[in-house]
């Protein structure tokens, strides 16, 4: 499997209300028209509206129309007052031109057709047909009643406009607006949005600038309240000895950081904020041994420098043997990784892989890309991402915080790193011509010899040297493990008590 690490890396126009298509009808003289017929006013057919299209309520407010009728005939209105009955002794309604005729079309009705004139024209005047009136007092009364109706209608229209405005529009529909405050939009804790909102303030984007001008961007997360940040070794390697490290939180605040310790073989590093802010909230740590294939995952990081990016997926596989490099030509890192299809790209390195509760189950560390090889770090995700199990990373972090250097478990034997051997083959000799099986080491005491092929480590099938190393490094020095091996075509088992090696050299 060829894998790789990442990380070196004006104002709106005026609205013209439409003209009412039918003048108000007195309440005591309704006329029911057959379905589909066109209503006819006492003065003949109603004039066609100058602007049949009603303005969009989402973009403009319609002022209330004269006589209390909004410009849109479907909008909310106050009831029209009933036409009064002539007092006793006055002429009949028919004789006295009762009820009064509708008002003439107001001047503003044609505004906008040629762009001239104010929005509101001169007030509409009430006109009566020419003809003698037998009683002047009757005409005065009619005028007074009409004026009262105008005042009452104006009040009703104002109230109708106020109510429509309160409901967000006046096109005949009543709408309810959602809160404009994003803080009111609560998300359930178990949702991706809920998990991300809680975790993001504890995730940082790491900028590593080496003394030679090299560097890149990666990710880390708050490990404890003292300001320790957990990340990958390859994220900070370029600036570990001479360079500058900064950690930027999701709120944009940036802090200088320094390296507490690095474990190249595990690809784990711990930073410390130089002036940590108060109130740091560490991410809760899960149990990577208990995750199952198919469990939901959430990855947070800064792919290609895009800070605070959240992606989702599932656990695609467990105990996936991965050997990865930082592109600098140094020693590789080995892990028995959690595989996920959550999108992971250069810059995600060192970021948390969360479960559906928001607990950290891994540190995103490596990707595999089509046609890639170790050292090529800028290929995009194709759904094959790998994370260091958090149980292993936590053990390493505690060692680094306590002593500043890593401690590795070992079996005391050198194995071939060819991945096509069907197991981990113990070499004929070790580095520099030394014995492949250390004298008095764990393997020697368990009876293992050069040429033996280790095929199982406890219950895990071993298909290569990198797989064996990755499995060994999930344990601690002093752990007793069962090793299955082949020698001269026969299979045997033995128990090995793991030894230890301190430091990367």
């Amino acid at each position: 499997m060829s894998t790789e690490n990442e990380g070196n890396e004006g104002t709106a126009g005026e609205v013209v209300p439409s003209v009412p298509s039918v003048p108000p009808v007195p309440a005591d003289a309704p006329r029911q028209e057959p379905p589909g017929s066109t209503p006819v006013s006492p003065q003949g057919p109603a004039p066609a509206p100058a602007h049949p299209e009603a303005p969009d309520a989402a973009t403009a407010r319609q002022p209330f129309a004269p006589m209390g009728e909004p410009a849109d005939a479907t909008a909310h209105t106050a009831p029209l007052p009933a036409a009064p009955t002539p007092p006793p002794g006055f002429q009949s309604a028919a004789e006295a031109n009762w009820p009064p005729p509708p008002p003439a079309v107001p001047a503003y009705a044609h505004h906008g057709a040629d762009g001239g004139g104010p929005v509101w024209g001169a007030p509409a005047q009430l006109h009566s047909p020419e003809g003698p009136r037998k009683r002047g007092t009757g005409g005065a009364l009619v005028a007074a009643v009409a004026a009262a109706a105008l005042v009452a209608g104006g009040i009703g229209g104002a109230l109708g406009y106020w109510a429509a405005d309160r409901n967000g529009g006046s096109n005949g529909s009543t709408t309810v607006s959602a809160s404009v405050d994003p803080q009111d939009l609560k998300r359930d804790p178990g949702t991706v949005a809920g998990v991300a909102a809680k975790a993001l303030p504890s995730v940082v984007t790491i900028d590593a600038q080496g003394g030679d001008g090299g560097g890149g961007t990666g990710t880390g997360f708050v490990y404890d309240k003292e300001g320790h940040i957990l990340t990958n070794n390859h994220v900070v390697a370029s600036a570990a000895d001479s360079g500058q490290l900064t950690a930027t939180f999701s709120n944009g605040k940036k802090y200088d950081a320094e390296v507490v310790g690095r474990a190249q073989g595990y690809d784990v590093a711990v930073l410390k904020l130089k002036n940590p802010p108060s109130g740091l909230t560490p991410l809760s740590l899960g149990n990577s041994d208990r995750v199952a294939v198919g469990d939901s995952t959430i990855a947070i990081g800064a792919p290609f420098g895009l800070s605070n990016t959240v992606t989702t997926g599932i656990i695609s596989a467990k105990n996936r043997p991965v050997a990865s490099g930082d592109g600098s030509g140094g020693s590789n890192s080995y892990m028995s990784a959690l595989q996920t299809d959550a999108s992971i790209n250069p810059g995600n390195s060192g970021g948390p892989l969360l479960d559906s509760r928001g607990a950290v189950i891994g540190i995103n560390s490596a990707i595999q890309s089509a046609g890639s090889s170790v050292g090529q770090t800028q290929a995009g995700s194709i759904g094959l991402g790998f994370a260091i199990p958090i149980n292993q990373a936590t053990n390493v972090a505690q060692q680094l915080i306590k002593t500043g250097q890593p401690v590795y478990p070992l079996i005391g034997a050198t194995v071939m790193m060819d991945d096509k051997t069907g197991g981990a083959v113990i070499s004929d000799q070790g580095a520099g011509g030394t014995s492949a099986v250390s004298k008095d080491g764990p393997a020697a005491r368990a009876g293992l010899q050069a040429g033996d092929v280790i095929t199982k480590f406890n219950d895990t099938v071993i298909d290569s040297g990198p797989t064996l190393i990755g499995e060994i490094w999930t344990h601690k020095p002093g752990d007793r493990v069962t090793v299955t091996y082949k020698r001269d075509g026969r299979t045997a088992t033995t128990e090995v008590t793991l030894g230890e090696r301190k430091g990367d050299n």
Side-chain angles (χ1 to χ4, degrees):
M1 177 177 295
S2 173
T3 60
E4 61 180 342
N5 286 56
E6 345 106 71
N8 287 336
E9 17 210 307
T11 60
E14 296 176 327
V15 177
V16 181
S18 60
V19 179
S21 60
V22 180
V25 179
D28 63 343
R31 179 176 178 179
Q32 300 296 328
E33 299 293 340
S37 64
T38 302
V40 179
S41 71
Q43 297 297 319
H51 299 277
E53 301 86 356
D56 186 351
T59 59
R61 296 176 178 174
Q62 297 185 5
F64 60 86
M67 298 300 293
E69 182 178 358
D72 184 345
T74 62
H76 176 83
T77 61
L80 291 174
T85 303
F90 280 78
Q91 295 168 300
S92 67
E95 294 173 334
N97 245 352
W98 190 274
V105 176
Y108 64 80
H110 301 288
H111 172 73
D114 56 3
V119 174
W120 292 98
Q125 300 297 323
L126 297 177
H127 296 282
S128 298
E130 294 297 332
R133 296 183 182 272
K134 295 185 178 181
R135 300 200 180 203
T137 54
L141 179 60
V142 170
V145 172
L150 175 61
V151 173
I155 294 174
L159 293 175
Y161 172 76
W162 176 83
D165 183 62
R166 293 274 293 186
N167 285 330
S170 59
N171 267 357
S173 62
T174 301
T175 60
V176 179
S177 299
S179 170
V180 297
D181 186 356
Q183 294 181 354
D184 291 341
L185 301 176
K186 301 298 183 183
R187 298 292 189 268
D188 292 337
T191 63
V192 174
V195 170
K198 184 177 179 180
L200 277 168
S202 300
V203 179
V204 298
T205 298
I206 297 173
D207 183 46
Q209 297 299 323
D212 58 357
T217 300
T219 308
F221 59 92
V222 177
Y223 179 71
D224 58 27
K225 295 183 178 181
E226 285 67 44
H228 288 108
I229 304 295
L230 196 56
T231 186
N232 283 142
N233 171 67
H234 75 261
V235 169
V236 303
S238 62
D241 298 326
S242 61
Q244 183 178 9
L245 290 166
T246 59
T248 304
F249 284 81
S250 60
N251 60 6
K253 293 184 178 181
K254 182 180 295 187
Y255 299 87
D256 290 333
E258 59 186 355
V259 175
V260 172
R262 309 189 285 134
Q264 186 180 54
Y266 293 121
D267 197 17
V268 172
V270 176
L271 307 182
K272 178 76 161 54
L273 302 179
K274 292 183 178 180
N275 295 294
S278 60
L280 285 175
T281 303
L283 289 182
S284 60
L285 305 181
N287 186 346
S288 53
D289 290 340
R290 299 185 64 181
V291 302
V293 173
D295 282 351
S296 297
T297 58
I298 302 170
I300 302 179
F304 298 102
L306 301 175
S307 300
N308 310 315
T309 295
V310 178
T311 57
T312 63
I314 61 169
I315 293 293
S316 303
K318 294 178 61 176
N319 304 317
R320 185 70 78 192
V322 174
S324 60
D326 60 11
S328 64
S331 300
N332 285 341
S333 302
Y334 301 94
M335 68 186 88
S336 181
L338 298 175
Q339 181 181 325
T340 180
D341 66 347
S343 182
I344 296 175
N345 289 284
N348 276 106
S349 287
L353 184 68
L354 309 173
D355 62 16
S356 59
R357 303 170 302 149
V360 183
I361 54 175
I363 301 178
N364 301 317
S365 300
I367 59 175
Q368 178 167 326
S369 300
S372 68
S373 61
V374 173
Q376 294 178 332
T377 62
Q378 293 300 310
S381 171
I382 58 172
L384 293 173
F386 304 97
I388 302 168
I390 194 60
N391 290 10
Q392 176 182 344
T394 299
N395 292 335
V396 178
Q398 292 171 347
Q399 295 165 1
L400 295 177
I401 292 172
K402 184 177 181 180
T403 67
Q405 61 179 348
V407 176
Y408 296 94
L410 51 82
I411 63 171
T414 301
V415 297
M416 298 176 61
M417 301 307 290
D418 191 338
D419 59 0
K420 299 179 181 179
T421 56
V425 181
I426 298 179
S427 303
D428 292 333
Q429 61 181 17
T434 60
S435 174
V437 179
S438 300
K439 185 178 180 181
D440 296 329
R445 290 194 294 269
L448 294 175
Q449 303 175 6
D452 289 347
V453 181
I454 298 174
T455 58
K456 289 184 70 176
F457 188 86
N458 284 337
D459 294 328
T460 302
V461 175
I462 302 300
D463 57 6
S464 66
T467 302
L468 176 63
I469 295 174
E471 281 300 314
I472 292 172
W473 286 358
T474 62
H475 291 74
K476 297 178 181 179
D479 286 351
R480 293 180 63 85
V481 296
T482 299
V483 173
T484 301
Y485 64 96
K486 289 183 178 181
R487 179 187 299 168
D488 299 330
R490 292 184 299 178
T491 298
T493 60
T494 185
E495 283 193 349
V496 178
T497 301
L498 299 177
E500 72 174 27
R501 171 172 63 87
K502 293 182 178 181
D504 280 314
N505 298 321

